[in-house]
Amino acid sequence: MADQLSYNNNFNYTRNQNEYTFRLRKKHNGWWWLLLLLLLPLLLIRCQHDITVTVIDGKTKEPQPDISIVANYTSHILLQDGKFLNHKNHDYNETTNTEGKAILKNVECCLFSYIFYGGSDITITADDLKTVEKPYHYTRNVTIEMENVDCEIDITMVIDNTGSMSSTMNMVKKNALNFCDDLKEACIKRHRNIKELHLQVISYGDLNDGSFIKSDVFSLPAEEKDYKDFVNGLTMTGGGDRPESGLEALAMAIQSDWHKSKYRTRHVIVLYTDANAHPLDFDYSTMKYYPKNMPKSFDELTKMWNKMDKDAKRLLLFAPNDNDCDDNWNKISEEWDNVSHQDLNEIISGGYKTSIDAICKSL
């Protein structure tokens, strides 16, 4: 038998040391192109699924309600909104229920995405405290175990002490005196362990009153008695015309000696006032009691705020938020980052507790 024999026109038959192979000689007829065309519409099929996030305590394994869940992922759709190969970012914001569960509904994907982007992750963060990453195509349930994180907090209280505050001053003092205990209690519930807590008070009035008072920095709980004595000793004085020196007091607070720490850090300013503020772009050099190192305009004040540590800084404004009021408080809440703004009267109806929770969630 010859070493190589032809078999029809399609195959070669080869004998080589008792080994036989067949080799295809016929050219492809193109049927596989048709198969690809049939498969292409399948890649356009879009689908959705839900992801259930369960948050539990890392030690007790108890479900954790009222935990903020933030999720982010990028979907990859072959054809969407008239675009070919559309990459789209998605953000979810949910809160866990009494069972410690939050459902991210309708997570978007498609068959094309499963094949070519199967390793893409969804990033899920619980209370800005713990983050996990999971393949969003194949994930249906995620369990997050919360553990305590150590924190250090600096707080500067800025309090308007003019006569118009008489109706709310007792409430402001009460909140100021309870602030630290309430903050600690709220932080414990949210797995934040306050290792260090420093508190300072700035009291202010009108520009010509000379009523700027700045306390020492109190370390709590060691100096809690001194702090409470200072707050109880605040008295209302002056005022008269409606605008007060709130922006100057805020500038003094921004320039506080903020601590740097090895722990997670927050620098918090809490401002209480029932009045709008004098503008900064005025020549106050002739005023006897005008404080030093003040910004000359709102823009300069904004630059001072922007120089603070972006991750650490927080501003809680209990100030007028009437849109018809010609003041700078609304401008601050609209243009500055990390600001919570509520009317002073809202502290009576729960706004105070909301702000305490906002500080804890940010830690």
Side-chain angles (χ1 to χ4, degrees):
M1 183 181 292
D3 287 341
Q4 182 170 318
L5 300 175
S6 294
Y7 183 78
N8 295 329
N9 293 320
N10 300 328
F11 299 95
N12 274 355
Y13 173 69
T14 302
R15 184 187 64 189
N16 184 17
Q17 296 181 350
N18 296 324
E19 293 182 4
Y20 301 89
T21 61
F22 287 97
R23 181 168 60 86
L24 184 65
R25 298 181 62 190
K26 187 176 180 179
K27 295 182 179 179
H28 302 302
N29 290 326
W31 55 268
W32 58 277
W33 287 103
L34 179 61
L35 180 61
L36 286 179
L37 290 176
L38 293 175
L39 288 175
L40 185 59
L42 297 179
L43 298 179
L44 298 176
I45 295 177
R46 294 169 60 181
C47 52
Q48 295 175 334
H49 65 268
D50 297 343
I51 297 178
T52 301
V53 181
T54 303
V55 182
I56 61 175
D57 185 279
K59 293 182 178 179
T60 66
K61 308 304 180 183
E62 293 292 324
Q64 301 296 294
D66 196 32
I67 298 295
S68 174
I69 300 297
V70 177
N72 174 269
Y73 77 100
T74 302
S75 64
H76 310 278
I77 309 299
L78 186 59
L79 186 63
Q80 184 181 40
D81 299 331
K83 296 181 180 179
F84 182 76
L85 191 53
N86 190 18
H87 306 284
K88 186 177 181 180
N89 290 326
H90 300 265
D91 294 296
Y92 286 87
N93 292 276
E94 301 291 342
T95 302
T96 57
N97 57 22
T98 54
E99 298 177 345
K101 297 181 181 296
I103 300 177
L104 312 179
K105 295 184 176 181
N106 301 326
V107 178
E108 185 181 49
C109 52
C110 72
L111 184 58
F112 167 81
S113 181
Y114 268 94
I115 296 174
F116 296 98
Y117 294 91
S120 296
D121 288 336
I122 181 170
T123 302
I124 303 173
T125 302
D127 242 7
D128 195 27
L129 195 63
K130 187 168 183 179
T131 299
V132 298
E133 293 185 351
K134 297 288 184 179
Y136 77 85
H137 292 90
Y138 306 101
T139 299
R140 299 296 182 270
N141 295 280
V142 176
T143 299
I144 299 178
E145 296 188 7
M146 301 291 282
E147 299 177 354
N148 288 346
V149 60
D150 293 334
C151 308
E152 181 168 352
I153 306 176
D154 286 1
I155 300 173
T156 298
M157 294 269 190
V158 183
I159 301 175
D160 180 348
N161 65 8
T162 56
S164 62
M165 289 282 289
S166 57
S167 61
T168 54
M169 181 56 80
N170 287 338
M171 177 62 70
V172 170
K173 282 187 176 183
K174 179 181 177 181
N175 288 342
L177 293 173
N178 295 333
F179 193 91
C180 298
D181 291 337
D182 292 342
L183 181 62
K184 286 183 178 179
E185 181 180 352
C187 284
I188 289 173
K189 292 180 180 178
R190 295 195 172 275
H191 299 275
R192 275 76 167 174
N193 179 36
I194 300 179
K195 301 290 288 186
E196 300 284 345
L197 179 59
H198 312 283
L199 209 148
Q200 186 176 44
V201 180
I202 297 174
S203 174
Y204 74 94
D206 209 348
L207 289 173
N208 347 333
D209 294 338
S211 52
F212 285 96
I213 302 174
K214 188 174 183 179
S215 76
D216 295 330
V217 178
F218 303 104
S219 294
L220 276 67
E223 299 176 313
E224 185 171 8
K225 182 181 182 301
D226 294 334
Y227 164 67
K228 290 185 174 182
D229 288 344
F230 183 90
V231 173
N232 285 323
L234 293 176
T235 57
M236 293 171 292
T237 179
D241 60 336
R242 185 63 175 168
E244 315 298 356
S245 49
L247 295 183
E248 285 79 7
L250 178 56
M252 292 173 67
I254 292 175
Q255 297 177 80
S256 298
D257 293 327
W258 305 108
H259 289 82
K260 293 183 178 180
S261 174
K262 62 181 180 181
Y263 306 115
R264 183 175 292 206
T265 307
R266 288 296 179 268
H267 302 151
V268 184
I269 299 173
V270 186
L271 189 148
Y272 298 97
T273 184
D274 65 344
N276 53 352
H278 288 290
L280 292 168
D281 51 354
F282 183 79
D283 185 8
Y284 297 108
S285 58
T286 58
M287 290 189 175
K288 181 178 180 181
Y289 299 108
Y290 194 74
K292 297 179 180 179
N293 302 320
M294 290 293 104
K296 304 301 181 183
S297 66
F298 182 85
D299 288 342
E300 286 191 19
L301 181 65
T302 301
K303 290 179 180 179
M304 292 174 61
W305 174 254
N306 291 338
K307 288 181 180 179
M308 289 185 65
D309 186 335
K310 183 177 181 179
D311 294 329
K313 65 182 178 181
R314 297 292 185 273
L315 172 59
L316 305 184
L317 278 179
F318 293 101
N321 59 6
D322 186 351
N323 291 329
D324 296 329
C325 184
D326 183 20
D327 64 71
N328 289 290
W329 304 129
N330 285 332
K331 191 174 181 181
I332 286 175
S333 62
E334 291 170 1
E335 298 182 7
W336 290 14
D337 55 345
N338 299 344
V339 176
S340 172
H341 184 191
Q342 300 178 67
D343 192 276
L344 181 64
N345 293 323
E346 293 182 21
I347 64 174
I348 302 173
S349 59
Y352 165 74
K353 182 179 182 302
T354 301
S355 296
I356 291 286
D357 290 341
I359 294 176
C360 292
K361 288 181 179 180
S362 74
L363 287 172

